[in-house]
Every structure is written in structure tokens, then in C-alpha cells.
Amino acid sequence: MAHAGEGPRLPSARGPVSAAVEDYLRGAGPPPRQADIGRAAVYGDDLQLALYLCYELHYRGFAGVPESHEWDPDLLRVRAALEHRFLTALRTDVSCHDSVEDALADLLVEPVDGAGVSHYLAAEGELWQLREYAAQRSLYHLKEADPHAWVLPRLWGRAKAGMAAVEFDEYGGGRPDRVHARLFADLMTDLGLDTTYGHYLDAATAEALATVNLMSLLGLHRALRGALVGHFAAVEITSSPGSRRLAEAMRRTGAGPAAEHFYDEHVEADAVHEQVVRHEVIGGLLAEEPRLAPDIAFGIDVTGHLEDRFGDRLLDAWRTGRSSLRTPQDSGISLIS
């Protein structure tokens, strides 16, 4: 008999596709119709939440949902249709570099007049905005490194060894108190946020969901291993300078020592990881499979594309004094419900 998962509760549906997925997970209805999937906006709330629900079955699942649903054939067909629409849109919308070298070179150059989220938070962000940022990022950071671990069985040689070394650091080097997901939970505590896994799924925007869905999409498909490595490179290379700015924001707003420590840790660790990823993971993969170069470049560029969409959503709200969250919570006080 299939056991029900003990993960977070299912969130509120955001349209006919996500509603049908949730009904199916509860055993209360059929899977979504292909026509509804075809009509859903690719980057919109309904499709992105439906895809997130399918992927989350491979992580901690949902309360009351049988664990056997992870490999349910009907649900896998739904996931495949959602993935096809998402990946097709990304391949159409993202302008890719001609080479891995060019893609990496652009990542390694910090713009003098940077205007992204970390720049905004460092210079003028308020504590309520840091809370909102952390709440949305918690969908990934409370399972930090897990999506990337899927690629390990798909690599070998230098690429596998380098990837495993970085992942070992992400998982605390064998110390549970230093696992990065644990450090992020400590950050959330400093910010007065609920650290329950999946707690802020209802509050997270479609743009936030898309950044997490990308990791799962690339990690769960062997054919996309090159793109996953490119995504990982983009994250690690941009993390150190971005984390430095976020650490400054935490200090300036008095967020707390654990909030500061999370980003201080990433400044140091990811500066080292960046070298390993570039020279060992990417270098090793290209030495073994040079044909994957366009996929690596795609992974780098598509990461930037979705991060820019997420950043624009946040800044458009914050610059007009509005909450960036979907749910009507008072972000100026607390996000604990």
C-alpha cells in the first residue's frame, strides 16, 4: 500500500491546470487536459505551479499524497507536456552565446553600474524587502544543492569529481550544522520567517517558481546534463559578488548574525567553487563530450534570463512601495502565519 507523503500541504491552485494536478494528487479527479496545458501561459502562475507540483514529488512530496505518485504514468505524461512547453519557450526566448568561453567571460565581468536585486538591497533595501526575498528564495534554499545532485550519475572523470567536491561543501562537508539549507533556515529565523519547508509556496511568484523549476528540469533529464552544468556554473560564478552585496544588506538593516553568516559563507565558498566548476566540471565535461558545448552555453544563458525576470518582478514592486508577494500578507511586520 502506498504511503502518504509527510511533506508540506498542497498550496492553493492558480488555474485549471494546477487545480487538476492537485485534484489528481488527492485522488479527487482526472489529470489536466492537454488543451488546458496548451492554453496556459508558459511563464504564468498556473503552468509554473503545476510543474512545480510535479517536480516536488521527487523531493519531499506533499502531505496526504501517496509516495507512489512520484512515478505515476499519467502524471509523468502531464509533466512531460508541461516541460515541453517550458523548454520550448526557453529555447525560443533566450539569446545564447556562440561559445561556452564567451558565456563564461560575460559572467566573470561585474558591471560597473549594476542594477539588479542584490545591488538594490545592498544600497537601499529595507528589512521587509529582505524578508520577502528570503521567503521566495526559500523554495530553493531549503533544498539547496539537491536539484544539482541529480547530475552526478550522468558525469564521470574530472567533471564528476569536481561536481561532487562542490556538492560536498554545499552539504556542509559532513557537518549537519553547516549544510547550506540549514544555514538558510537560520537566516530565516533571524528575519522572523517560518522555516517550515514549502511554507511560502503560496506567496511565491511565478517568476520565483520558474527559477526552481529550471533546476529540476535540467537535473532530472540526462539529455540536459550539459545545460545543468551550465546552470550550476552561472549560479556559482555570480554567487560570490551577489552574496557580498546581500551580506552588506543584512548588516546595514540589522537582520541578525545568522542572516549575515549565510551570505558571508557564500562569498568565500563560492569564490572557490567558481574555479572548480570552470576548470574541473566544465573543463572535464568538454574534454569527454565536446558536443555538449552548446548545451552548457544554453544553461548559462537561460539561468540569467529567468533570474532577470524574477529580479524585474521584485524591483517593479519594491520601487513603488508594493509587496512582491502573491498573498496579501503584511510584509512590513512578519511573514509568519
Side-chain angles (χ1 to χ4, degrees):
M1 182 176 180
H3 293 286
E6 296 180 356
R9 64 175 179 81
L10 285 166
S12 300
R14 304 186 188 183
V17 180
S18 54
V21 169
E22 293 199 3
D23 284 345
Y24 188 75
L25 292 176
R26 294 187 179 101
R33 299 179 300 173
Q34 292 296 318
D36 287 336
I37 293 174
R39 283 192 293 265
V42 175
Y43 301 114
D45 280 299
D46 192 26
L47 188 143
Q48 290 299 324
L49 177 60
L51 189 53
Y52 187 94
L53 295 172
C54 292
Y55 284 145
E56 193 57 34
L57 299 176
H58 297 291
Y59 296 103
R60 299 196 195 180
F62 292 99
V65 175
E67 293 177 346
S68 57
H69 274 23
E70 179 181 6
W71 300 110
D72 181 277
D74 290 332
L75 202 56
L76 289 177
R77 280 189 283 272
V78 169
R79 197 189 89 186
L82 296 167
E83 288 177 330
H84 177 73
R85 291 213 59 214
F86 188 33
L87 187 57
T88 298
L90 292 173
R91 291 198 184 281
T92 300
D93 297 342
V94 176
S95 177
C96 291
H97 286 83
D98 292 332
S99 69
V100 174
E101 292 75 15
D102 289 345
L104 290 173
D106 281 353
L107 281 183
L108 290 165
V109 176
E110 273 277 286
V112 176
D113 56 346
V117 170
S118 65
H119 293 87
Y120 175 89
L121 291 174
E124 57 185 297
E126 299 179 28
L127 193 57
W128 66 270
Q129 293 165 335
L130 290 171
R131 287 175 174 150
E132 290 196 353
Y133 181 76
Q136 299 214 55
R137 285 297 197 193
S138 69
L139 298 187
Y140 166 63
H141 280 304
L142 290 181
K143 59 170 172 263
E144 185 169 343
D146 290 349
H148 302 118
W150 295 110
V151 82
L152 282 169
R154 288 89 185 261
L155 304 176
W156 57 91
R158 285 169 55 202
K160 190 186 199 85
M163 191 78 188
V166 175
E167 288 283 272
F168 183 65
D169 282 351
E170 300 284 352
Y171 290 128
R175 291 180 52 182
D177 59 310
R178 297 187 62 179
V179 172
H180 284 190
R182 174 70 261 169
L183 297 181
F184 194 79
D186 294 340
L187 170 149
M188 294 178 74
T189 297
D190 266 3
L191 290 174
L193 298 172
D194 191 314
T195 64
T196 305
Y197 182 88
H199 180 81
Y200 295 106
L201 181 50
D202 273 326
T205 62
E207 291 82 2
L209 296 180
T211 65
V212 185
N213 284 340
L214 176 66
M215 302 181 209
S216 298
L217 169 65
L218 301 182
L220 285 167
H221 290 271
R222 182 177 181 275
L224 297 174
R225 63 193 178 281
L228 188 282
V229 166
H231 168 81
F232 193 61
V235 170
E236 294 299 323
I237 291 172
T238 59
S239 174
S240 187
S243 293
R244 182 176 292 108
R245 289 187 288 271
L246 290 169
E248 292 171 3
M250 296 296 175
R251 273 187 279 274
R252 183 176 57 77
T253 58
E260 296 173 19
H261 176 67
F262 177 82
Y263 288 111
D264 284 336
E265 169 75 11
H266 280 71
V267 171
E268 297 181 12
D270 291 343
V272 176
H273 293 171
E274 175 253 314
Q275 296 290 323
V276 176
V277 172
R278 281 199 297 132
H279 297 297
E280 300 304 318
V281 182
I282 291 180
L285 184 58
L286 288 176
E288 294 283 355
E289 298 185 274
R291 65 184 178 82
L292 294 182
D295 290 346
I296 296 173
F298 171 71
I300 293 171
D301 291 326
V302 75
T303 302
H305 174 74
L306 291 181
E307 286 294 330
D308 286 346
R309 287 179 58 87
F310 177 53
D312 289 346
R313 173 67 179 260
L314 294 176
L315 294 177
D316 285 349
W318 292 345
R319 284 174 174 153
T320 57
R322 295 179 292 111
S323 170
S324 66
L325 303 177
R326 289 188 67 258
T327 50
Q329 300 178 79
D330 184 0
S331 59
I333 300 174
S334 176
L335 291 171
I336 296 178
S337 61

